[in-house]
Amino acid sequence: MDIIGQFPLFYFPEYGSAWMMGMTGTIHILASHTSVGAAMLFAFLAYKAYKEDRSDLYPYMKKYGMFLLIFSYVIGSITGPGIWYTATAASPRGISALIHNFVWVWATEWVFFVYEVIGVFVLVYFIDKIDKKTHLKLTFSFALASVGTLALIIGIISFMMWPGTQAYYTTGSASDAFFGTNTFPHMFLRIGFMIMLSGVIGMVISSAMKKTKLELAKELTKKMGYISMLGGFLVIFFFMWYMGTLPDNAHAVFNITKAEVIQNRIILTAVFSLYFLIAIFKPQFISTPLAGVMVLVILIGGIWPGEKLRESMRKPYVAGQYIYSNQIISRDVPGKNIKNELPIIAQKGLLQVNPFVPENLKVITEENKLEAGKLLTRMACSNCHSLEKTGKYRPLKDRLASMDKDAIKSILYAIGSGGMPYMPSLQLPEHEYDAIAEYIASLKY
């Protein structure tokens, strides 16, 4: 019997499988991006302290470093593996593609990361125990390691959106996969955000110093305002470049949500521009509670919608524009000896070729049609959609609530023929389309 290289299905009710990774990733991004941005900020402050003999800057760096240890390198180090754990459950073939393409890149990234972890401990605990020149060199090496970590991981993440070059499919080369059209704009976009975030977090630290060192606190808050403003400008500039490098399916998804996304970004830009201007011109007004609230605004209003958008724009793929989000291989990749699975599925049906389908559901009968339809819907749809009546993310109920079985089948045919570029072009035999449509219609949303 012909089978495809599938894994057991992981389905998370109400939310859908992929959103578990997104939720973990949002927290991780706040922590990890703070660490890289702070590493660059540390290099700037250490250089300023050394060149201008500003010993008063070192206590601020130490406080900031302690925050990094607790927040970025504890929470970040927990949620980082958490992303890959949830991603492996939700998209095992996607993670397999990343490993097979980038195993040595990933290993190198871990070397940089270990240096980061050791470096932040050294910088914090030896800040007043070693000479300033040595501390400055350590600070710059820490910043280089952090940016190196970012650059390597961005090459991997960018491949999930868009492979390096068309040559990759023929060569299977890691360099062809890594150096994509959107790798560098994506990296610079992230660097801009990290610079901005380092300033926003820096205001939390500086505002807490006002009771003991008012003038220094005002000076540092003002500097963080300038740094944040610079980072925000870079985010806007490189976002426009980044959007110009994305594939057609990404723009198809973006166009659906364009109005909402633009409105969200305009509001955030206005709010944070005002916040940064207050920090620059009236630093005494920046209190610790206000600075803390603005960090939460970035998390909830900025990072979460941004990550949802990036994950959505990758659809219907999960990696390399050859693995669909439902784990099916959608094209040949000769360089990796990978075969397109769509023809065999169209001929045999998904139930026949998936090795983890129970024997009693391999053949659809009148008695098991609803159960088979439920399983087919989960295999084909649940990585992007929640299926329950109370589903939270991309629920099918919002799209199919008023449709009967025949209308649902017509949509399935349109999707299978490539009528929706952000949906997998998965053609199934008539009896499997029929089972899916009957199951969805039976839910009576």
Side-chain angles (χ1 to χ4, degrees):
M1 180 185 294
D2 294 302
I3 61 172
I4 59 176
Q6 280 286 14
F7 290 81
L9 175 69
F10 171 76
Y11 176 65
F12 198 96
E14 303 290 332
Y15 293 89
S17 309
W19 292 106
M20 295 301 99
M21 180 181 71
M23 293 174 189
T24 309
T26 300
I27 300 169
H28 175 73
I29 284 170
L30 183 64
S32 64
H33 285 33
T34 299
S35 70
V36 179
M40 293 185 283
L41 177 60
F42 272 28
F44 166 73
L45 292 175
Y47 177 78
K48 190 173 182 65
Y50 176 74
K51 295 296 287 186
E52 299 177 8
D53 196 24
R54 291 284 305 274
S55 298
D56 56 333
L57 294 178
Y58 288 114
Y60 175 76
M61 291 176 65
K62 189 165 187 176
K63 287 179 182 293
Y64 205 138
M66 289 301 297
F67 174 84
L68 284 181
L69 277 175
I70 296 169
F71 180 67
S72 294
Y73 287 95
V74 174
I75 295 177
S77 296
I78 292 171
T79 54
I83 293 174
W84 303 118
Y85 179 84
T86 52
T88 301
S91 302
R93 297 186 95 181
I95 294 299
S96 175
L98 300 184
I99 292 172
H100 282 84
N101 281 291
F102 301 113
V103 63
W104 292 113
V105 176
W106 230 323
T108 306
E109 188 267 336
W110 270 94
V111 172
F112 278 92
F113 178 70
V114 169
Y115 186 91
E116 273 190 273
V117 174
I118 296 171
V120 73
F121 274 93
V122 171
L123 290 177
V124 170
Y125 287 106
F126 289 91
I127 196 167
D128 50 3
K129 296 180 175 63
I130 57 177
D131 66 274
K132 294 177 182 178
K133 190 171 184 178
T134 301
H135 184 266
L136 178 63
K137 291 178 180 177
L138 287 171
T139 305
F140 271 88
S141 68
F142 175 58
L144 288 172
S146 294
V147 174
T149 301
L150 166 70
L152 292 169
I153 206 69
I154 284 299
I156 297 172
I157 294 174
S158 294
F159 175 79
M160 298 174 74
M161 172 72 77
W162 187 237
T165 64
Q166 286 297 318
Y168 162 75
Y169 297 112
T170 302
T171 66
S173 165
S175 61
D176 284 335
F178 188 89
F179 293 106
T181 55
N182 76 326
T183 300
F184 289 107
H186 189 189
M187 183 175 71
F188 292 132
L189 168 63
R190 297 268 182 174
I191 286 176
F193 180 72
M194 290 168 177
I195 292 171
M196 186 184 78
L197 190 56
S198 71
V200 173
I201 297 291
M203 287 185 221
V204 177
I205 312 298
S206 62
S207 64
M209 299 172 60
K210 285 200 293 188
K211 291 183 180 179
T212 55
K213 299 180 179 180
L214 178 59
E215 291 306 312
L216 179 62
K218 288 167 64 176
E219 178 195 347
L220 288 169
T221 297
K222 189 173 183 176
K223 279 186 171 60
M224 294 304 114
Y226 279 118
I227 288 168
S228 299
M229 188 71 82
L230 170 64
F233 172 78
L234 292 175
V235 168
I236 294 172
F237 178 82
F238 287 114
F239 178 76
M240 292 187 289
W241 182 20
Y242 174 72
M243 288 300 297
T245 65
L246 297 182
D248 292 341
N249 58 289
H251 286 287
V253 174
F254 179 72
N255 288 337
I256 295 173
T257 58
K258 185 190 297 185
E260 180 183 345
V261 170
I262 291 175
Q263 181 182 20
N264 170 271
R265 277 354 191 203
I266 289 174
I267 292 171
L268 282 176
T269 300
V271 169
F272 277 96
S273 295
L274 177 62
Y275 179 58
F276 300 152
L277 289 172
I278 291 172
I280 292 169
F281 295 106
K282 297 290 182 180
Q284 67 273 17
F285 291 170
I286 304 297
S287 64
T288 304
L290 174 60
V293 166
M294 295 308 287
V295 174
L296 289 177
V297 171
I298 283 183
L299 177 66
I300 298 169
I303 297 177
W304 173 241
E307 286 304 296
K308 282 203 301 181
L309 177 64
R310 186 175 63 84
E311 290 291 315
S312 298
M313 289 196 303
R314 205 169 62 218
K315 305 306 177 190
Y317 302 99
V318 73
Q321 296 252 319
Y322 66 91
I323 300 179
Y324 280 148
S325 50
N326 56 19
Q327 309 303 297
I328 292 168
I329 305 294
S330 66
R331 65 173 292 170
D332 291 333
V333 185
K336 290 292 181 182
N337 198 29
I338 292 172
K339 299 293 184 182
N340 185 353
E341 295 172 343
L342 295 180
I344 189 65
I345 292 173
Q347 178 187 356
K348 301 284 187 179
L350 197 52
L351 296 176
Q352 287 291 322
V353 300
N354 188 310
F356 294 98
V357 171
E359 285 299 324
N360 65 313
L361 296 179
K362 289 282 188 184
V363 177
I364 298 176
T365 64
E366 285 302 316
E367 291 73 24
N368 70 9
K369 181 181 279 189
L370 282 179
E371 189 178 359
K374 179 179 180 180
L375 179 59
L376 283 165
T377 304
R378 286 189 172 183
M379 288 194 295
C381 310
S382 67
N383 203 262
C384 294
H385 298 279
S386 53
L387 310 180
E388 291 75 19
K389 297 178 184 179
T390 53
K392 302 296 188 297
Y393 293 111
R394 293 203 195 96
L396 287 181
K397 65 179 175 61
D398 287 355
R399 290 146 172 87
L400 307 172
S402 59
M403 296 184 182
D404 59 18
K405 178 180 173 180
D406 290 336
I408 293 170
K409 280 179 72 173
S410 67
I411 289 178
L412 295 178
Y413 287 131
I415 293 170
S417 62
M420 300 180 186
Y422 48 86
M423 299 278 282
S425 300
L426 178 61
Q427 293 186 359
L428 299 174
E430 167 64 25
H431 60 279
E432 291 195 346
Y433 276 139
D434 192 69
I436 293 174
E438 185 158 326
Y439 167 70
I440 293 174
S442 73
L443 295 176
K444 293 183 175 61
Y445 292 127

